[in-house]
mmCIF file of all heavy atoms in Angstrom:
data_model
loop_
_atom_site.group_PDB
_atom_site.id
_atom_site.type_symbol
_atom_site.label_atom_id
_atom_site.label_comp_id
_atom_site.label_asym_id
_atom_site.label_seq_id
_atom_site.Cartn_x
_atom_site.Cartn_y
_atom_site.Cartn_z
ATOM 1 N N PRO A 69 7.209 132.506 130.738
ATOM 2 C CA PRO A 69 6.740 133.890 130.592
ATOM 3 C C PRO A 69 5.720 134.297 131.654
ATOM 4 O O PRO A 69 5.560 135.496 131.919
ATOM 5 C CB PRO A 69 6.111 133.908 129.191
ATOM 6 C CG PRO A 69 6.753 132.774 128.469
ATOM 7 C CD PRO A 69 6.984 131.720 129.509
ATOM 8 N N PHE A 109 -1.134 136.389 128.444
ATOM 9 C CA PHE A 109 -0.419 136.398 127.162
ATOM 10 C C PHE A 109 -0.869 137.541 126.242
ATOM 11 O O PHE A 109 -0.026 138.178 125.594
ATOM 12 C CB PHE A 109 -0.512 135.036 126.478
ATOM 13 C CG PHE A 109 0.561 134.084 126.925
ATOM 14 C CD1 PHE A 109 0.345 133.206 127.976
ATOM 15 C CD2 PHE A 109 1.813 134.096 126.334
ATOM 16 C CE1 PHE A 109 1.339 132.347 128.427
ATOM 17 C CE2 PHE A 109 2.825 133.239 126.758
ATOM 18 C CZ PHE A 109 2.573 132.369 127.814
ATOM 19 N N PHE A 116 4.999 143.482 123.735
ATOM 20 C CA PHE A 116 5.841 143.155 122.573
ATOM 21 C C PHE A 116 5.594 144.128 121.430
ATOM 22 O O PHE A 116 6.536 144.616 120.784
ATOM 23 C CB PHE A 116 5.566 141.728 122.125
ATOM 24 C CG PHE A 116 6.112 141.392 120.769
ATOM 25 C CD1 PHE A 116 7.483 141.406 120.533
ATOM 26 C CD2 PHE A 116 5.259 141.053 119.728
ATOM 27 C CE1 PHE A 116 7.997 141.098 119.281
ATOM 28 C CE2 PHE A 116 5.758 140.745 118.473
ATOM 29 C CZ PHE A 116 7.128 140.769 118.250
ATOM 30 N N MET A 131 18.656 143.000 122.485
ATOM 31 C CA MET A 131 17.882 141.801 122.133
ATOM 32 C C MET A 131 18.598 141.005 121.058
ATOM 33 O O MET A 131 18.601 139.766 121.102
ATOM 34 C CB MET A 131 16.479 142.185 121.672
ATOM 35 C CG MET A 131 15.585 140.980 121.409
ATOM 36 S SD MET A 131 13.841 141.386 121.534
ATOM 37 C CE MET A 131 13.155 140.296 120.296
ATOM 38 N N PHE A 134 21.252 139.107 122.773
ATOM 39 C CA PHE A 134 20.646 137.976 123.492
ATOM 40 C C PHE A 134 20.373 136.835 122.524
ATOM 41 O O PHE A 134 20.665 135.667 122.826
ATOM 42 C CB PHE A 134 19.349 138.429 124.169
ATOM 43 C CG PHE A 134 18.572 137.322 124.830
ATOM 44 C CD1 PHE A 134 18.922 136.867 126.097
ATOM 45 C CD2 PHE A 134 17.488 136.729 124.190
ATOM 46 C CE1 PHE A 134 18.207 135.842 126.713
ATOM 47 C CE2 PHE A 134 16.769 135.709 124.799
ATOM 48 C CZ PHE A 134 17.129 135.262 126.065
ATOM 49 N N LEU A 142 17.729 128.974 121.576
ATOM 50 C CA LEU A 142 16.647 129.953 121.433
ATOM 51 C C LEU A 142 15.920 129.846 120.097
ATOM 52 O O LEU A 142 14.684 129.891 120.046
ATOM 53 C CB LEU A 142 17.219 131.360 121.616
ATOM 54 C CG LEU A 142 16.212 132.508 121.570
ATOM 55 C CD1 LEU A 142 15.244 132.408 122.753
ATOM 56 C CD2 LEU A 142 16.942 133.856 121.604
ATOM 57 N N TYR A 145 13.698 126.784 120.020
ATOM 58 C CA TYR A 145 12.593 126.925 120.980
ATOM 59 C C TYR A 145 11.524 127.877 120.437
ATOM 60 O O TYR A 145 10.325 127.572 120.495
ATOM 61 C CB TYR A 145 13.107 127.425 122.327
ATOM 62 C CG TYR A 145 11.990 127.865 123.243
ATOM 63 C CD1 TYR A 145 11.191 126.925 123.893
ATOM 64 C CD2 TYR A 145 11.694 129.222 123.428
ATOM 65 C CE1 TYR A 145 10.131 127.329 124.703
ATOM 66 C CE2 TYR A 145 10.651 129.626 124.238
ATOM 67 C CZ TYR A 145 9.871 128.669 124.873
ATOM 68 O OH TYR A 145 8.823 129.061 125.674
ATOM 69 N N CYS A 146 11.947 129.026 119.915
ATOM 70 C CA CYS A 146 10.966 130.008 119.443
ATOM 71 C C CYS A 146 10.214 129.505 118.218
ATOM 72 O O CYS A 146 9.005 129.767 118.077
ATOM 73 C CB CYS A 146 11.657 131.341 119.170
ATOM 74 S SG CYS A 146 12.277 132.143 120.676
ATOM 75 N N LEU A 147 10.895 128.769 117.348
ATOM 76 C CA LEU A 147 10.207 128.141 116.218
ATOM 77 C C LEU A 147 9.216 127.106 116.726
ATOM 78 O O LEU A 147 8.071 127.030 116.247
ATOM 79 C CB LEU A 147 11.227 127.496 115.285
ATOM 80 C CG LEU A 147 10.660 126.682 114.115
ATOM 81 C CD1 LEU A 147 9.799 127.547 113.215
ATOM 82 C CD2 LEU A 147 11.788 126.023 113.328
ATOM 83 N N PHE A 148 9.637 126.311 117.709
ATOM 84 C CA PHE A 148 8.768 125.301 118.309
ATOM 85 C C PHE A 148 7.505 125.946 118.887
ATOM 86 O O PHE A 148 6.382 125.487 118.637
ATOM 87 C CB PHE A 148 9.540 124.568 119.397
ATOM 88 C CG PHE A 148 8.731 123.617 120.240
ATOM 89 C CD1 PHE A 148 8.450 122.338 119.792
ATOM 90 C CD2 PHE A 148 8.277 123.984 121.500
ATOM 91 C CE1 PHE A 148 7.713 121.449 120.571
ATOM 92 C CE2 PHE A 148 7.544 123.105 122.286
ATOM 93 C CZ PHE A 148 7.260 121.841 121.815
ATOM 94 N N MET A 149 7.655 127.031 119.627
ATOM 95 C CA MET A 149 6.501 127.683 120.252
ATOM 96 C C MET A 149 5.610 128.351 119.204
ATOM 97 O O MET A 149 4.375 128.363 119.337
ATOM 98 C CB MET A 149 6.967 128.699 121.287
ATOM 99 C CG MET A 149 7.622 128.094 122.516
ATOM 100 S SD MET A 149 6.592 126.851 123.361
ATOM 101 C CE MET A 149 5.168 127.831 123.853
ATOM 102 N N ALA A 150 6.227 128.892 118.153
ATOM 103 C CA ALA A 150 5.430 129.491 117.074
ATOM 104 C C ALA A 150 4.582 128.426 116.380
ATOM 105 O O ALA A 150 3.411 128.659 116.046
ATOM 106 C CB ALA A 150 6.343 130.191 116.071
ATOM 107 N N LEU A 151 5.173 127.257 116.179
ATOM 108 C CA LEU A 151 4.408 126.152 115.582
ATOM 109 C C LEU A 151 3.326 125.646 116.530
ATOM 110 O O LEU A 151 2.224 125.280 116.092
ATOM 111 C CB LEU A 151 5.357 125.012 115.199
ATOM 112 C CG LEU A 151 6.231 125.266 113.972
ATOM 113 C CD1 LEU A 151 7.342 124.222 113.868
ATOM 114 C CD2 LEU A 151 5.371 125.267 112.703
ATOM 115 N N ASP A 153 1.719 127.507 118.665
ATOM 116 C CA ASP A 153 0.652 128.505 118.571
ATOM 117 C C ASP A 153 -0.178 128.274 117.310
ATOM 118 O O ASP A 153 -1.416 128.331 117.338
ATOM 119 C CB ASP A 153 1.251 129.917 118.540
ATOM 120 C CG ASP A 153 1.838 130.322 119.881
ATOM 121 O OD1 ASP A 153 1.521 129.672 120.903
ATOM 122 O OD2 ASP A 153 2.624 131.299 119.903
ATOM 123 N N GLU A 184 6.522 136.874 113.012
ATOM 124 C CA GLU A 184 6.042 137.688 114.138
ATOM 125 C C GLU A 184 5.911 136.859 115.405
ATOM 126 O O GLU A 184 6.278 137.304 116.497
ATOM 127 C CB GLU A 184 4.702 138.341 113.795
ATOM 128 C CG GLU A 184 4.239 139.293 114.898
ATOM 129 C CD GLU A 184 3.004 140.080 114.512
ATOM 130 O OE1 GLU A 184 2.599 140.048 113.331
ATOM 131 O OE2 GLU A 184 2.431 140.733 115.407
ATOM 132 N N SER A 185 5.415 135.631 115.275
ATOM 133 C CA SER A 185 5.275 134.756 116.437
ATOM 134 C C SER A 185 6.641 134.379 116.997
ATOM 135 O O SER A 185 6.840 134.347 118.220
ATOM 136 C CB SER A 185 4.493 133.492 116.056
ATOM 137 O OG SER A 185 4.278 132.667 117.185
ATOM 138 N N ILE A 186 7.611 134.103 116.117
ATOM 139 C CA ILE A 186 8.967 133.783 116.560
ATOM 140 C C ILE A 186 9.567 134.963 117.319
ATOM 141 O O ILE A 186 10.186 134.805 118.372
ATOM 142 C CB ILE A 186 9.851 133.389 115.352
ATOM 143 C CG1 ILE A 186 9.416 132.031 114.792
ATOM 144 C CG2 ILE A 186 11.328 133.353 115.749
ATOM 145 C CD1 ILE A 186 10.077 131.662 113.478
ATOM 146 N N GLU A 187 9.356 136.172 116.790
ATOM 147 C CA GLU A 187 9.871 137.378 117.443
ATOM 148 C C GLU A 187 9.210 137.599 118.800
ATOM 149 O O GLU A 187 9.858 138.041 119.759
ATOM 150 C CB GLU A 187 9.653 138.601 116.542
ATOM 151 C CG GLU A 187 10.641 138.695 115.401
ATOM 152 C CD GLU A 187 12.068 138.877 115.908
ATOM 153 O OE1 GLU A 187 12.347 139.877 116.589
ATOM 154 O OE2 GLU A 187 12.898 137.987 115.624
ATOM 155 N N PHE A 188 7.925 137.304 118.899
ATOM 156 C CA PHE A 188 7.213 137.449 120.169
ATOM 157 C C PHE A 188 7.825 136.543 121.232
ATOM 158 O O PHE A 188 8.111 136.974 122.358
ATOM 159 C CB PHE A 188 5.730 137.128 119.978
ATOM 160 C CG PHE A 188 4.939 137.062 121.262
ATOM 161 C CD1 PHE A 188 4.886 138.138 122.137
ATOM 162 C CD2 PHE A 188 4.238 135.900 121.596
ATOM 163 C CE1 PHE A 188 4.149 138.070 123.324
ATOM 164 C CE2 PHE A 188 3.511 135.821 122.772
ATOM 165 C CZ PHE A 188 3.458 136.906 123.634
ATOM 166 N N HIS A 189 8.069 135.295 120.880
ATOM 167 C CA HIS A 189 8.634 134.366 121.854
ATOM 168 C C HIS A 189 10.093 134.713 122.177
ATOM 169 O O HIS A 189 10.549 134.486 123.306
ATOM 170 C CB HIS A 189 8.490 132.927 121.354
ATOM 171 C CG HIS A 189 7.083 132.427 121.429
ATOM 172 N ND1 HIS A 189 6.489 132.093 122.622
ATOM 173 C CD2 HIS A 189 6.145 132.235 120.460
ATOM 174 C CE1 HIS A 189 5.247 131.702 122.396
ATOM 175 N NE2 HIS A 189 5.007 131.782 121.098
ATOM 176 N N THR A 190 10.803 135.283 121.214
ATOM 177 C CA THR A 190 12.158 135.768 121.496
ATOM 178 C C THR A 190 12.098 136.911 122.505
ATOM 179 O O THR A 190 12.889 136.963 123.462
ATOM 180 C CB THR A 190 12.844 136.240 120.205
ATOM 181 O OG1 THR A 190 12.862 135.176 119.256
ATOM 182 C CG2 THR A 190 14.270 136.690 120.485
ATOM 183 N N PHE A 191 11.163 137.828 122.303
ATOM 184 C CA PHE A 191 10.970 138.948 123.232
ATOM 185 C C PHE A 191 10.639 138.443 124.640
ATOM 186 O O PHE A 191 11.160 138.969 125.633
ATOM 187 C CB PHE A 191 9.848 139.855 122.719
ATOM 188 C CG PHE A 191 9.320 140.818 123.743
ATOM 189 C CD1 PHE A 191 10.030 141.957 124.068
ATOM 190 C CD2 PHE A 191 8.106 140.568 124.380
ATOM 191 C CE1 PHE A 191 9.540 142.854 125.028
ATOM 192 C CE2 PHE A 191 7.611 141.447 125.336
ATOM 193 C CZ PHE A 191 8.335 142.594 125.659
ATOM 194 N N LEU A 192 9.788 137.425 124.735
ATOM 195 C CA LEU A 192 9.430 136.878 126.051
ATOM 196 C C LEU A 192 10.659 136.330 126.766
ATOM 197 O O LEU A 192 10.843 136.557 127.971
ATOM 198 C CB LEU A 192 8.380 135.776 125.895
ATOM 199 C CG LEU A 192 6.983 136.205 125.433
ATOM 200 C CD1 LEU A 192 6.058 134.980 125.351
ATOM 201 C CD2 LEU A 192 6.379 137.252 126.367
ATOM 202 N N GLN A 193 11.513 135.619 126.036
ATOM 203 C CA GLN A 193 12.711 135.055 126.668
ATOM 204 C C GLN A 193 13.711 136.155 127.035
ATOM 205 O O GLN A 193 14.333 136.113 128.100
ATOM 206 C CB GLN A 193 13.353 134.016 125.752
ATOM 207 C CG GLN A 193 12.503 132.769 125.552
ATOM 208 C CD GLN A 193 12.075 132.138 126.875
ATOM 209 O OE1 GLN A 193 12.914 131.798 127.704
ATOM 210 N NE2 GLN A 193 10.775 131.992 127.078
ATOM 211 N N PHE A 194 13.860 137.137 126.165
ATOM 212 C CA PHE A 194 14.717 138.290 126.449
ATOM 213 C C PHE A 194 14.259 138.991 127.718
ATOM 214 O O PHE A 194 15.063 139.316 128.606
ATOM 215 C CB PHE A 194 14.662 139.226 125.244
ATOM 216 C CG PHE A 194 15.356 140.542 125.430
ATOM 217 C CD1 PHE A 194 16.738 140.612 125.574
ATOM 218 C CD2 PHE A 194 14.624 141.723 125.446
ATOM 219 C CE1 PHE A 194 17.382 141.837 125.727
ATOM 220 C CE2 PHE A 194 15.256 142.947 125.604
ATOM 221 C CZ PHE A 194 16.641 143.012 125.740
#
Side-chain angles (χ1 to χ4, degrees):
F109 274 93
F116 166 64
M131 185 156 146
F134 175 81
L142 183 65
Y145 168 76
C146 293
L147 175 60
F148 172 82
M149 292 305 298
L151 287 167
D153 289 344
E184 185 173 350
S185 183
I186 290 171
E187 283 296 299
F188 172 57
H189 287 286
T190 303
F191 165 77
L192 292 181
Q193 293 307 303
F194 173 67

